[in-house]
Amino acid sequence: MSTILVTGGAGYIGSHTVLELLTAGHRVVVVDNLDNSSLESIRRVEALTGKRVDVHLLDLLDRTGLDLIFAKYRIDAVIHFAGLKAVGESTQQPLRYYHNNLTSTLHLLEAMKLAGCKTLVFSSSATVYGDPERLPIIEDQALRTTNPYGATKLWIEGITADLAKAESGWNLVMLRYFNPVGAHESGRIGEDPAGIPNNLMPFIMQVAVGRREVLSVYGNDWPTPDGTGVRDYIHVVDLAQGHVAAIDKALGGALPGWTAINLGTGNGQSVLDMVKGASKAVGRELPYRFSPRRPGDIAACYCDPAKAQRLLGWKANLGVDRMCADHWRWQKNNPQGYAQE
Ligand code: UD1
């Protein structure tokens, strides 16, 4: 049994990963500043697993507070989710994004180094491929970003790569997620975005539950089979299990130095495919209308997941029907997210 520090553990992907870590027998310590998340998610994870999580309300900009966490526990490895993640907002508030995401990660790496904890799994993103030069995307293809949020992911990848070059003993794993959707099958935890959702699936589900009127489909003139954008949607439970696999391999010494790994299904789904899947799960046709392309969007993005299979022994198992059914169960049972309780 290892002790894993999870930053941002109360968030969407964080809470699902905490659940899978507990189920796999790990002990979990969460630090979160609750900027865009709720403690209720952790309370529910505890209820679902029958296990306890130590939660510390802490902002990673507080370096002293972070050192106290490493002094209190013998942390074997860290999973770093905490960070600001809204693309549009990042273009309006670049300094806030760079300061928060980069400084917090530097603090974390410094605190880890001081404590002698050298195993980190980082929440990176397919956004580091920008408009991909070819499909399916493999890990060693060109990296580029188009907005400050994406740039913080790319910079953190670069900082950690430099660290692995300079010092021995680190196990630094960058997990590049494609498009996480869905929820735990219990319907007790799920995605709870603040304000108007930026991402497709939460928007569709808020239409389904009556919080929004109609989905705007951003463009039907993309060079894709049905003209709408194509993405590699991955069930958040598959994604969470990918983190457990990465932690176990890294702690076992199988991922020395610095490694970047795509976590996706390898399948591309269009916006209309997802609307269809969601309508099936909800049991009625969900309304949508075509609107102009969203600035900064790309036509298609999906990965080659072979490296994850090879290095982690992991692959995604759950398809679009499960993604939609599970996301809908969560949204139906919690129309206002965690706020209702
Ligand atoms: C977006 C971010 C990406 C980030 C990821 C996190 C942008 C440009 N990219 O990816 O950097 O890592 O979220 O999950 O914001 N769509 C609609 N109507 C909507 C919302 C989305 O048609 O109301 C379409 C989009 O045009 C796209 C697809 O649905 O084709 C997926 O969009 P979204 O869920 O926002 O994810 P990405 O754009 O892939």
Side-chain angles (χ1 to χ4, degrees):
M1 175 159 120
S2 302
T3 300
I4 315 298
L5 176 66
V6 181
T7 77
Y12 172 44
I13 308 174
S15 57
H16 285 81
T17 301
V18 169
L19 188 150
E20 295 299 330
L21 287 166
L22 293 171
T23 306
H26 294 297
R27 182 172 175 216
V28 177
V29 178
V30 164
V31 297
D32 202 302
N33 67 359
L34 302 183
D35 179 69
N36 186 23
S37 60
S38 163
L39 266 191
E40 178 66 15
S41 65
I42 296 295
R43 211 181 59 69
R44 293 188 186 184
V45 166
E46 290 181 323
L48 286 166
T49 57
K51 297 185 178 176
R52 249 193 64 76
V53 179
D54 276 14
V55 184
H56 295 268
L57 297 188
L58 180 77
D59 194 310
L60 297 182
L61 297 178
D62 174 4
R63 172 63 207 282
T64 311
L66 197 50
D67 285 338
L68 290 174
I69 300 288
F70 279 95
K72 183 171 161 85
Y73 303 94
R74 223 196 63 78
I75 304 288
D76 296 297
V78 178
I79 306 182
H80 181 32
F81 291 106
L84 300 173
K85 60 160 200 174
V87 173
E89 188 179 68
S90 81
T91 61
Q92 286 145 15
Q93 304 174 19
L95 294 181
R96 178 167 166 245
Y97 269 69
Y98 285 119
H99 183 74
N100 184 81
N101 290 5
L102 296 181
T103 310
S104 61
T105 305
L106 290 170
H107 282 173
L108 183 63
L109 291 166
E110 288 161 1
M112 288 176 70
K113 181 173 166 160
L114 194 67
C117 171
K118 292 189 142 189
T119 300
L120 173 76
V121 171
F122 174 61
S123 173
S124 190
S125 167
T127 195
V128 299
Y129 300 110
D131 193 349
E133 61 177 1
R134 41 172 209 285
L135 296 168
I137 298 170
I138 53 171
E139 286 82 352
D140 56 8
Q141 103 189 29
L143 304 180
R144 51 192 155 208
T145 58
T146 50
N147 58 72
Y149 155 77
T152 67
K153 294 292 181 194
L154 196 50
W155 272 96
I156 291 166
E157 288 205 1
I159 290 165
T160 49
D162 285 342
L163 181 58
K165 258 183 249 157
E167 299 177 8
S168 62
W170 288 92
N171 312 290
L172 302 167
V173 186
M174 311 293 110
L175 297 181
R176 296 176 180 159
Y177 317 149
F178 283 68
N179 290 58
V181 296
H184 187 257
E185 66 174 347
S186 65
R188 295 291 292 156
I189 58 172
E191 185 169 17
D192 183 17
I196 301 171
N198 296 304
N199 298 116
L200 177 64
M201 195 63 146
F203 200 103
I204 294 180
M205 290 299 170
Q206 290 195 6
V207 170
V209 86
R211 282 173 70 179
R212 318 262 160 217
E213 215 165 288
V214 57
L215 171 75
S216 293
V217 175
Y218 299 138
N220 60 348
D221 56 351
W222 292 101
T224 60
D226 68 14
T228 67
V230 165
R231 296 291 184 275
D232 186 339
Y233 296 93
I234 174 170
H235 197 298
V236 68
V237 171
D238 274 331
L239 190 65
Q241 289 169 354
H243 288 74
V244 178
I247 280 289
D248 289 345
K249 292 289 180 191
L251 285 173
L255 299 170
W258 186 93
T259 314
I261 303 173
N262 289 337
L263 293 187
T265 64
N267 303 313
Q269 313 287 345
S270 74
V271 177
L272 294 183
D273 290 333
M274 298 310 283
V275 173
K276 203 165 135 204
S279 296
K280 189 171 154 196
V282 174
R284 68 189 164 84
E285 293 303 316
L286 297 171
Y288 65 87
R289 63 171 173 236
F290 293 116
S291 63
R293 292 181 179 187
R294 178 172 66 178
D297 262 358
I298 55 177
C301 175
Y302 52 90
C303 78
D304 178 340
K307 191 175 179 185
Q309 169 114 51
R310 185 160 45 83
L311 294 187
L312 306 180
W314 169 93
K315 70 176 176 51
N317 290 312
L318 304 173
V320 171
D321 283 349
R322 266 296 295 277
M323 298 177 203
C324 293
D326 290 342
H327 208 123
W328 173 233
R329 191 176 304 107
W330 150 255
Q331 190 74 77
K332 183 179 47 162
N333 295 344
N334 307 269
Q336 304 298 327
Y338 293 113
Q340 64 197 3
E341 285 181 38

